[in-house]
């Protein structure tokens, strides 16, 4: 269902990539441009130490009432903790691009990812912008690469689907992401840009976008650390003869949401597969919680545990670490009512361990590991969550310790 | 000031150690006995998945109004997640010891540490208890060893000091601890037992004990994981002609607190020095916060960060990771007002990085690393905190992944 070869942007969007020598190799600049100001939803890092570009983007979205036209991205340098001068650099680059595009600077958002505490090479970047604006394209293979830092793989999908068989036009979604590799000198960061041509009420679009983030990018952890620059941005430019979707009761809204969630979850999982030093992909599912928030909290705590992650690297069915992590949260449950499954095999029921299972050692050798903890609470509301993480390997330490700044 | 050779328990306390073959080597059982029921303060793990012995100890302390007489400890098996049968084992061992000592079972607390999900060898243990109760002593070298799991070093101190020059008797404190090594199969756990002969109002003693825990054992992290069995217990048996200390305004209370805090901080730091795979001891100090809780929260978040800990292992002055960790908490501060020092060298001021400091690379090679983050808030209340952690090394991964269950 997802199309992986190259990336076709929805009609009304164009991209250009460039090389400003911020990274030692590959394209390191991207401009994503809409034909006119379009509905734009964004979620940014909650880190108090936000990069100036993030603060500025939040201001611009307020000023334009969430209708912007271009996003400028650079990889290789986060332009974070660079003080007043760093903020001025961001502004200068935005103004420069806006002048080239002949649009208001508040219609341009900028994102940066990479090393913290270093100034951007803005003269290089301005020259490159001059070249890039002459080469916009709607079909490209370089945009997913231009936002990478030390990721091993690009992460990009586009999708086309009918929201209703009676409609005239299919809906298109196209999305790229980076993370959680590091950059020189090693930050775990994520960026994602999603474009679509859905014709939808903005408040509804925003609601759906946030819900999809909660069950995708908010469900992954590589090392539990949070960056200063994380941004996920969705732009919608309806070029369609379909009628506008006004509220959630319109079944087309659900179809769109399902497709958007599918793409975002796949990108999120790709980030984990590409996690620093990862040798295993671990799915942590928690069921039988009082509510989704509790289930998510427990699942993420297990997913972040260094002891769980090292055990998984060693293919060790050491489930004591899983319950110790689960119990360390504030979430209410009764250990006496829980069940724990490793690779589908029951290892703990009613707080009592199941006798040694000879199959388990072999199952733990697999690359994909499934942890399922049922908290055993009976509720009517949604009460389960799934999170994804990778193991903690020698290579994680190597990547993060041995390659010097 | 602290006396390290062997351990002299305060008058009125006796210990016995035993070998029940729960561990493959070394003593694995300890009985700590007071001449009569004595004031006992305890802090237990907040993990929801508490071992049955922890739950039972909490009940006994309630029942006896915090006056117990004996503590039974075993290492090598946590007796956690062993269901109803495991709880019955704990009860049986407690009753057995109580019968031998001819005291009420509610006067006996039990603690276990080690592998999760396995039954205790209680027949062995009962036999060993029978032997142990014949060999109590007040001066011993084995008690610190009997509670160890895979710790490399014992952790034990005793101290004797005058609370006031006009007093007749010195006050004695004697304390042992274990952690954060692992056990077969690898749990990061801590236990500590402290005895003293201070003659003090119980509520005041409890208050001082909790405050000392907050600035010692609550300030350390090896890997951010929390165990099902953590317990810190203080017993006080005044054998003294000194007069009773009634409230905090009595200057003897401050002297006692200072000495107790000193011992507990030293034990806490020892646990970090002995942390799994540790090659560096890292002190994280946060100043200029609105209050102690905020300062502690930020310091602990930095101390727990895998990215910070791997950078320190690599002797990499990668301070971007430190501020990213600091910013990921809910604590209010303004990045523009902060200063960050690594090994005493300023690297960031007012959110602006300081030019490369050639001295820093060499300073980062040292075994002791100091991180000081000043949040720059002006307050009148106590506004700083210090936490201790170790680096994250290849050996941490090896210890936790390669040695199979």
């Amino acid at each position: 269902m997802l199309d992986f070869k190259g990336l076709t942007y929805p009609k009304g969007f164009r991209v250009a990539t460039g090389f400003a020598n911020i990274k030692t190799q590959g394209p390191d600049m991207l401009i994503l441009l809409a034909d006119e100001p379009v509905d734009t939803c964004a979620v940014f890092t909650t880190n108090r130490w936000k990069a100036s570009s993030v603060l500025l983007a939040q201001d611009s979205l307020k000023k334009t009432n969430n209708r912007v036209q271009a996003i400028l991205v650079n990889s290789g340098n986060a332009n974070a903790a660079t003080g007043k001068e760093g903020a001025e650099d961001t502004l200068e680059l935005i103004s420069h691009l806006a002048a080239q595009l002949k649009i208001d600077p508040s219609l341009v958002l900028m994102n940066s990812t990479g090393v913290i505490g270093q100034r951007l090479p803005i003269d290089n970047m301005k020259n490159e912008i001059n070249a890039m604006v002459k080469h916009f394209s709607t079909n490209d293979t370089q945009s997913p690469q231009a936002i990478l830092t030390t990721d091993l793989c690009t992460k990009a999908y586009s999708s086309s689907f009918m929201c209703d068989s009676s409609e005239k036009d299919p809906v298109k979604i196209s999305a790229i992401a980076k993370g959680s590799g590091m950059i020189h000198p090693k930050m775990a960061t994520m960026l994602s840009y999603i474009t679509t041509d859905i014709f939808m009420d903005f408040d509804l679009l925003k609601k759906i976008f946030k819900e999809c983030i909660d069950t995708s990018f908010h469900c992954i952890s590589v090392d539990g650390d949070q960056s200063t620059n994380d941004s996920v941005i969705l732009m919608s430019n309806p070029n369609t003869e379909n009628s506008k979707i006004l509220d959630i009761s319109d079944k087309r809204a659900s179809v769109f949401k399902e497709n958007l969630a599918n793409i975002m979850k796949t990108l999120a999982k790709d980030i984990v597969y590409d996690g620093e030093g990862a040798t295993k992909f671990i799915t942590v599912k928690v069921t039988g919680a009082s509510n989704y928030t509790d289930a998510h909290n427990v699942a993420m705590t297990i997913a972040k545990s260094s002891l769980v992650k090292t055990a998984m690297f060693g293919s060790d069915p050491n489930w004591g670490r899983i319950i110790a992590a689960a119990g360390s949260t504030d979430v209410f449950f009764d250990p006496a009512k829980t069940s724990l499954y490793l690779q589908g095999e029951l290892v703990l029921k009613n707080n009592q361990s199941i006798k040694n299972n000879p199959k388990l050692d072999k199952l733990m050798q697999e690359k994909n590991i499934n942890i399922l903890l049922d908290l055993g609470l009976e509720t009517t509301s949604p009460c389960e969550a799934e999170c994804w993480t990778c193991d903690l390997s020698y290579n994680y330490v190597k990547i993060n310790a041995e390659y010097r700044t």
Side-chain angles (χ1 to χ4, degrees), chain A:
Chain A
M1 181 179 158
L2 296 175
D3 163 26
F4 199 81
K5 288 161 204 144
L7 206 59
T8 311
Y9 281 86
K11 207 174 150 193
F13 290 103
R14 288 173 294 159
V15 292
T17 54
F19 296 72
N21 287 321
I22 313 170
K23 291 194 302 203
T24 49
Q25 60 176 13
D28 47 24
M29 289 188 72
L30 170 70
I31 301 167
L32 176 57
L33 179 68
D35 288 348
E36 56 189 348
V38 296
D39 283 350
T40 304
C41 317
V43 168
F44 298 103
T45 179
T46 57
N47 201 303
R48 190 165 294 280
W49 228 301
K50 289 176 183 65
S52 58
S53 57
V54 168
L55 296 169
L56 205 63
Q58 289 177 321
D59 281 350
S60 292
L61 284 165
K62 246 183 229 160
K63 205 166 151 189
T64 62
N65 202 17
N66 302 301
R67 287 184 65 83
V68 302
Q69 194 167 350
I71 305 175
L72 172 66
V73 191
N74 79 273
S75 54
N77 184 324
N79 193 19
T82 43
K84 217 177 128 217
E85 293 166 349
E88 284 166 4
D89 291 344
T90 306
L91 265 176
E92 189 169 340
L93 288 163
I94 285 175
S95 301
H96 186 79
L97 175 59
Q100 297 285 315
L101 297 174
K102 298 187 177 64
I103 62 176
D104 191 274
S106 67
L107 296 174
V108 180
L109 307 183
M110 181 165 180
N111 272 180
S112 301
T113 178
V115 53
I116 286 182
Q118 291 185 11
R119 298 282 299 278
L120 286 170
I122 63 163
D123 290 337
N124 273 8
M125 291 171 74
K126 280 158 71 178
N127 285 338
E128 195 59 19
I129 287 171
N130 296 347
M132 287 162 79
V133 294
K134 291 176 193 143
H135 297 96
F136 279 110
S137 130
T138 59
N139 196 325
D140 97 304
T141 53
Q142 274 197 342
S143 59
Q145 220 183 323
I147 61 171
L148 300 190
T149 48
T150 54
D151 305 52
L152 299 175
C153 319
T154 54
K155 294 144 190 101
Y157 295 96
S158 49
S159 171
S160 174
F161 52 93
M162 298 302 291
C163 275
D164 188 280
S165 55
S166 68
E167 296 220 303
K168 295 196 176 148
D169 292 326
V171 171
K172 292 197 182 71
I173 300 177
S174 156
I176 62 176
K178 71 135 297 204
S180 272
M182 321 154 310
I183 56 132
H184 178 81
K186 304 151 266 176
M187 266 297 302
T189 56
M190 76 152 291
L191 297 176
S192 180
Y193 306 101
I194 305 162
T195 51
T196 182
D197 54 6
I198 192 79
F199 191 25
M200 184 180 274
D201 171 75
F202 182 65
D203 287 336
L204 179 59
L205 182 67
K206 217 163 56 179
K207 187 171 178 291
I208 287 175
F209 175 64
K210 291 206 167 154
E211 285 173 2
C212 288
I213 286 191
D214 282 341
T215 56
S216 60
F217 298 127
H218 283 173
C219 291
I220 57 172
S221 172
V222 169
D223 51 19
D225 280 84
Q226 187 198 41
S227 104
T228 50
N229 292 55
D230 291 350
S231 304
V232 182
I233 303 177
L234 177 145
M235 295 176 101
S236 171
N237 188 13
N239 275 283
T240 175
E241 290 196 37
N242 299 336
S243 63
K244 191 169 186 175
I245 303 173
L246 295 172
D247 63 66
I248 196 74
S249 66
D250 187 327
K251 82 162 202 189
R252 294 175 300 166
S254 320
V255 175
F256 173 73
K257 185 179 170 182
E258 195 184 318
N259 279 275
L260 180 63
N262 190 20
I263 285 195
M264 288 170 73
K265 274 188 195 177
T266 310
L267 285 171
K269 290 182 183 180
D270 280 357
I271 288 174
V272 171
Y273 273 110
D274 200 8
E276 293 166 357
T279 76
K280 301 211 180 203
F281 182 89
I282 304 164
T283 301
V284 182
K285 188 167 181 175
V286 171
T287 59
S290 298
N291 52 60
Y292 175 79
T293 308
D294 279 5
H296 183 264
N297 187 347
V298 172
M300 275 307 263
T301 305
I302 296 170
K304 280 180 188 172
S305 159
S306 294
L307 287 176
V308 172
K309 288 156 65 81
T310 45
M312 297 303 115
F313 173 58
S315 300
D316 184 354
N318 189 350
W319 53 264
R321 295 178 179 182
I322 298 170
I323 64 167
S328 72
T329 68
D330 293 333
V331 170
F332 170 78
F333 64 90
D334 179 0
K337 290 185 179 155
T338 57
S339 305
L340 179 65
Y341 299 80
L342 264 181
Q343 299 294 65
E345 303 288 318
L346 185 67
V347 293
L348 180 80
K349 192 174 169 67
N350 302 340
N351 201 25
Q352 200 137 11
S353 65
I354 305 301
K355 290 230 177 313
N356 272 352
N357 179 343
K359 269 198 283 184
L360 201 51
D361 276 348
K362 188 139 187 255
L363 291 171
M364 294 303 294
Q365 306 283 340
E366 290 177 9
K367 189 176 157 47
N368 286 292
I369 300 290
N370 286 293
I371 295 171
L372 169 60
L373 176 63
D374 180 14
L375 297 180
L377 297 171
E378 281 166 27
T379 58
T380 46
S381 60
C383 53
E384 59 180 64
E386 198 172 287
C387 290
W388 307 286
T389 188
C390 55
D391 55 345
L392 171 49
S393 71
Y394 290 118
N395 249 349
Y396 177 84
V397 178
K398 189 182 176 72
I399 292 166
N400 285 293
E402 288 220 336
Y403 297 122
R404 295 293 313 283
T405 312

